Amino acid sequence: MGDWMDALLVATLVFIIPMCFSPGPNNVLCAAHGSQHGFKGTLTLISGMAVGWSVLGLFVGGATVFIEDNQEFFEILTYIGAAYIAYLSYKIATSDPLDDRSQENERLGFSTGVAIQFVNGKAWIHFLVLMTTFGSVFGTGFAGKALLVLLNVMFGLPAVMSWAAFGTALRRTFSTPSSAIALNRVMGASLFAVAVWIVIQ
């Protein structure tokens, strides 16, 4: 039994780690936001993502049967989420280099980080797969599901922070107004590509 549980934990990590670090709505948004507002300016957005992600995971862990029986609802969420991400990509792509005052006004905050999790249909499916396929790795009760969410956050936080740091590094490289505008266009286009990818999957 112990060997089986060890194998299940390894399989769980093999699922979680690539999902957390590969390009997706949270990661690309953090990179784009970091390129505009820097790493420190993105931490509030990241904290909202962590809270929203955790609450969503706990909810899915307690409601897997309902979610499995109502797949159509979550397909609709996928399109709503894609539209929201596309809107954010437009805002980023069309923004000009920001001075200190406009940076504060344009910065995405905690509530955006939370909200984007609940309109991301792929995040719902991610947790549904996690809870149904790997949900017993820490036990079958709700406490086991909570530990699984915690494990997910342990890798998800370093992932979004790494992408925010990457965006911040780009910001330092593209320091002139013209290059900053070009970077905004590229990051906005990248985020829009994520929105398209969500729809066509």
Side-chain angles (χ1 to χ4, degrees), residues 75-134:
E75 289 178 5
I76 294 172
L77 269 182
T78 296
Y79 292 106
I80 295 173
Y84 183 52
I85 292 165
Y87 166 75
L88 292 177
S89 74
Y90 170 78
K91 293 284 288 182
I92 291 169
T94 58
S95 62
D96 294 323
L98 303 175
D99 57 31
D100 291 339
R101 180 177 297 179
S102 59
Q103 273 195 16
E104 191 66 34
N105 293 334
E106 294 290 335
R107 189 176 297 163
L108 299 178
F110 182 88
S111 58
T112 301
V114 172
I116 199 171
Q117 310 313 310
F118 290 91
V119 296
N120 184 356
K122 292 301 178 182
W124 289 84
I125 300 303
H126 166 85
F127 274 116
L128 181 59
V129 171
L130 191 66
M131 295 301 173
T132 55
T133 305
F134 308 104

Side-chain angles (χ1 to χ4, degrees), residues 46 59 63 65 72 133 138 144 168 183 192:
I46 289 173
F59 176 79
V65 174
E72 297 83 2
T133 305
F138 296 120
T168 302
L183 178 61
F192 183 77

